[in-house]
Amino acid sequence: MSRSAPYQPLLLRILHGVSGILAIAAMITGFLVYNTFDGRFGKILIPRIDAIIDIHGTFAVFFLVVFPAIALYSFHAGNKRLLQQDSLQNLTQIGRPIWWVSLQRITNTLMLIASVFALISGRMMKGEWLPTGELNHSWYYLHLIAWVVMLCCLAIHVLMSSKVGGLPLLISMFLLKVRAEDTPIHWLNSLRSWWGNFSANLGIQNNLLLRVVEVMVLGGMIAAVILPLLAGG
């Protein structure tokens, strides 16, 4: 493949595609939930969908199932696309290539954090709150904030990817070409190799900040499962 069209690992394309579709579907249906039962900050006049809360919840549950896989991949095999030790410092170099790359890395990391907060807050909400007009719960406000952050991060992610790699980078995520060494039959060996490296260096070499973010995200995923059970949800 030419340099203008970078090759993306098959597993990345699968995880990125599935999680992206589920996240966007959850965001769209989440807005429809807000638009149907709230609308205090503006709304669109569209037909009411009575089952929209259940539809939104279905996409959110599937996203919760898939999210750990894309998160682990991002923090390890794809950690170069996330926050680096010098990312914040490089934000002072406005307009230079490293500024665009650093902004993309920060945005990708923030999207993972916002996704966790969206999952936790969504899981802690009660299905009857919005239909009965209970709009002032703190979990609901946190869910709205997480939705806004995810939307902004998604927009910046696409824009920065276009800026950093251009159209070929965007297209590369949808190409069907698969190298022989990248087929599923080789994934087990790759997983063993990755686990050996992970055990040796605790996953992220020389990047304590990203390790802290990883612990927070992984802990948040566990909380999204456990907290509703403890709360009797």
Side-chain angles (χ1 to χ4, degrees):
M1 187 173 293
S2 66
R3 293 178 59 186
S4 61
Y7 179 81
Q8 303 292 347
L10 176 61
L11 184 57
L12 171 61
R13 280 178 278 161
I14 293 174
L15 293 175
H16 186 274
V18 173
S19 61
I21 290 172
L22 291 174
I24 292 173
M27 291 170 64
I28 293 174
T29 55
F31 171 77
L32 293 177
V33 170
Y34 158 82
N35 195 70
T36 300
F37 299 103
D38 192 347
R40 287 173 293 176
F41 309 106
K43 62 184 303 181
I44 300 176
L45 296 178
I46 55 178
R48 179 187 178 97
I49 304 176
D50 292 330
I52 191 60
I53 290 181
D54 293 332
I55 296 173
H56 173 63
T58 299
F59 283 120
V61 168
F62 278 113
F63 182 65
L64 175 61
V65 172
V66 173
F67 184 69
I70 188 63
L72 285 172
Y73 186 98
S74 299
F75 282 116
H76 298 284
N79 67 82
K80 296 300 184 182
R81 297 180 175 91
L82 297 180
L83 182 70
Q84 304 297 307
Q85 287 187 320
D86 59 353
S87 292
L88 296 177
Q89 178 182 348
N90 288 334
L91 288 182
T92 60
Q93 304 185 44
I94 300 176
R96 297 183 179 181
I98 190 61
W99 183 83
W100 297 103
V101 173
S102 297
L103 183 58
Q104 181 190 42
R105 289 169 172 171
I106 293 172
T107 300
N108 293 344
T109 306
L110 186 58
M111 184 180 296
L112 291 173
I113 297 174
S115 297
V116 166
F117 279 104
L119 289 171
I120 295 175
S121 57
R123 293 271 293 164
M124 293 302 292
M125 289 178 58
K126 304 294 184 181
E128 64 271 14
W129 284 355
L130 301 187
T132 58
E134 298 181 47
L135 306 177
N136 294 316
H137 292 278
S138 57
W139 286 117
Y140 176 54
Y141 282 120
L142 181 59
H143 201 56
L144 288 178
I145 293 172
W147 182 90
V148 172
V149 174
M150 288 184 65
L151 180 63
C152 293
C153 287
L154 177 62
I156 297 175
H157 172 73
V158 174
L159 289 174
M160 292 301 100
S161 296
S162 177
K163 178 65 179 180
V164 171
L167 185 60
L169 177 60
L170 298 178
I171 295 177
S172 68
M173 297 302 300
F174 302 96
L175 295 179
L176 300 179
K177 182 175 181 179
V178 179
R179 294 175 178 173
E181 67 274 14
D182 195 26
T183 55
I185 197 172
H186 296 285
W187 288 355
L188 182 58
N189 290 333
S190 299
L191 179 61
R192 289 172 178 170
S193 176
W194 170 81
W195 179 252
N197 294 332
F198 175 77
S199 302
N201 57 41
L202 296 179
I204 305 173
Q205 288 183 321
N206 303 322
N207 197 341
L208 178 60
L209 184 57
L210 188 56
R211 186 181 301 171
V212 171
V213 175
E214 180 185 14
V215 171
M216 182 170 62
V217 169
L218 297 181
M221 289 188 291
I222 296 174
V225 176
I226 294 179
L227 286 180
L229 300 178
L230 297 178

